[in-house]
């Protein structure tokens, strides 16, 4: 009980905002992580976790039965759900993947804007725990477990400054990384036809070209980035 009370107190105690220089250096670090290929290959595993989690959450909310999630070492993933192969449920499930990281980043920015750095980290831990029970392969289990261990370590042992920087870094990587995955999606689509990507599956279901759906993904992500910048105090509107 004492441990739970300690966790609750940590979650609900707001931290002061980071110094502007520290915050902007964190923005620079997040941009480097997303733009520098060796770092991006590692960070992209986190984006894939959120991507597949987005598919899973919307599948359940739309009445489909979630069959499991697989995460692969090449940063790809697969979410299996059972239900009608067509119709709104399948469309919304496919739509959910690429915007998921940006939407989670927006929610994270909302919490950070109110000073709940540790609260954000524990929310992420809860989401990872819920996802873990749906993972159906060893690499996926390892990937989620390692991610959760890192988040827990910072939330429990890190100083307030370290927690604040880490929480902001995760938020920004989610936002920037989400955009990069959509740009990579379109590059991949332009190199080969007959793709099984989310955008192409949506095109086959709706008879609306895949480029439209990629544009929708990017539009949602850009809105999330703009709103997050406002919530985090990087821009004044």
């Amino acid at each position: 009980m004492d441990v739970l009370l300690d966790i609750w107190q940590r979650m609900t105690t707001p931290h002061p905002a980071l110094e502007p220089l520290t915050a902007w250096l964190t923005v620079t670090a997040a941009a480097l992580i997303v733009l520098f290929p060796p770092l991006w290959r590692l960070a992209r595993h986190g984006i894939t976790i959120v991507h597949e989690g987005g598919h899973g959450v919307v599948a359940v909310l739309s009445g489909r039965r979630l069959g499991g999630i697989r995460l692969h070492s090449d940063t790809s993933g697969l979410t299996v759900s059972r239900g009608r192969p067509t119709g709104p449920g399948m469309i919304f499930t496919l739509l959910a993947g690429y915007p998921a990281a940006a939407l989670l980043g927006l929610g994270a920015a909302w919490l950070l804007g109110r000073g709940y750095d540790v609260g954000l980290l524990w929310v992420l831990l809860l989401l990872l725990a819920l996802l873990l029970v749906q993972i159906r392969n060893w690499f996926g289990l390892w990937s989620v477990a390692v991610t959760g261990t890192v988040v827990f370590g910072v939330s429990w042992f890190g100083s307030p400054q370290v927690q604040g920087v880490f929480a902001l870094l995760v938020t920004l990587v989610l936002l920037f990384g989400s955009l990069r995955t959509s740009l990579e999606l379109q590059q991949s689509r332009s190199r080969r036809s007959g793709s099984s990507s989310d955008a192409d599956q949506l095109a086959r279901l709706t008879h609306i070209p895949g480029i439209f759906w990629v544009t929708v993904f990017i539009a949602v992500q850009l809105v999330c980035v703009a709103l997050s910048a406002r919530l985090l105090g990087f821009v004044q509107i």
Side-chain angles (χ1 to χ4, degrees), residues 68-155:
I69 295 172
R70 290 177 174 270
L71 305 170
H72 304 134
S73 59
D74 64 354
T75 74
S76 66
L78 175 66
T79 298
V80 177
S81 62
R82 297 181 178 87
R84 288 183 57 194
T86 59
M90 191 65 205
I91 290 171
F92 285 124
T93 298
L94 288 168
L95 267 173
Y98 278 93
L103 291 169
L104 180 60
L106 177 59
W110 184 83
L111 286 173
L112 288 185
R114 284 154 179 75
Y116 296 117
D117 307 352
V118 178
L120 168 60
L121 297 180
W122 279 93
V123 167
L124 294 177
L125 278 173
L126 175 61
L127 294 175
L128 287 168
L130 293 173
L131 180 68
L132 191 64
V133 300
Q134 295 295 336
I135 299 297
R136 296 294 183 267
N137 67 325
W138 285 111
F139 182 83
L141 289 172
W142 179 86
S143 181
V144 175
V146 168
T147 303
T149 300
V150 172
V151 175
F152 173 77
V154 174
S155 68

Side-chain angles (χ1 to χ4, degrees), residues 1-234:
M1 183 62 69
D2 290 340
V3 173
L4 292 177
L5 289 174
D6 187 20
I7 291 173
W8 180 252
Q9 184 175 12
R10 290 170 182 243
M11 290 179 62
T12 56
T13 301
H15 287 173
L18 295 173
E19 292 292 329
L21 177 60
T22 303
W24 281 106
L25 287 173
T26 306
V27 173
T28 303
L32 287 174
I33 289 171
V34 172
L35 293 174
F36 187 52
L39 296 176
W40 172 238
R41 280 193 292 272
L42 290 175
R44 203 182 194 288
H45 288 290
I47 303 296
T48 302
I49 289 172
V50 181
H51 178 113
E52 300 304 331
H55 283 314
V57 168
V58 175
V60 171
L61 292 177
S62 63
R64 299 178 65 81
R65 190 156 63 92
L66 187 60
I69 295 172
R70 290 177 174 270
L71 305 170
H72 304 134
S73 59
D74 64 354
T75 74
S76 66
L78 175 66
T79 298
V80 177
S81 62
R82 297 181 178 87
R84 288 183 57 194
T86 59
M90 191 65 205
I91 290 171
F92 285 124
T93 298
L94 288 168
L95 267 173
Y98 278 93
L103 291 169
L104 180 60
L106 177 59
W110 184 83
L111 286 173
L112 288 185
R114 284 154 179 75
Y116 296 117
D117 307 352
V118 178
L120 168 60
L121 297 180
W122 279 93
V123 167
L124 294 177
L125 278 173
L126 175 61
L127 294 175
L128 287 168
L130 293 173
L131 180 68
L132 191 64
V133 300
Q134 295 295 336
I135 299 297
R136 296 294 183 267
N137 67 325
W138 285 111
F139 182 83
L141 289 172
W142 179 86
S143 181
V144 175
V146 168
T147 303
T149 300
V150 172
V151 175
F152 173 77
V154 174
S155 68
W156 195 259
F157 300 108
S159 66
Q161 179 82 352
V162 169
Q163 291 166 345
V165 169
F166 181 76
L168 179 58
L169 185 66
V170 169
T171 300
L172 295 171
V173 169
L174 286 171
L175 292 164
F176 298 161
S178 178
L179 266 173
R180 174 159 181 173
T181 57
S182 290
L183 296 174
E184 289 178 343
L185 168 63
Q186 184 52 32
Q187 289 177 343
S188 175
R189 292 183 66 253
S190 66
R191 288 196 295 265
R192 65 178 187 271
S193 60
S195 171
S196 61
S197 71
D198 295 353
D200 292 290
Q201 291 184 69
L202 283 165
R204 288 190 284 272
L205 282 173
T206 63
H207 306 292
I208 299 173
I211 185 62
F212 171 83
W213 298 109
V214 176
T215 303
V216 170
F217 298 156
I218 293 174
V220 172
Q221 291 157 351
L222 287 173
V223 169
C224 288
V225 170
L227 292 175
S228 297
R230 175 70 178 88
L231 289 168
L232 294 169
F234 290 114

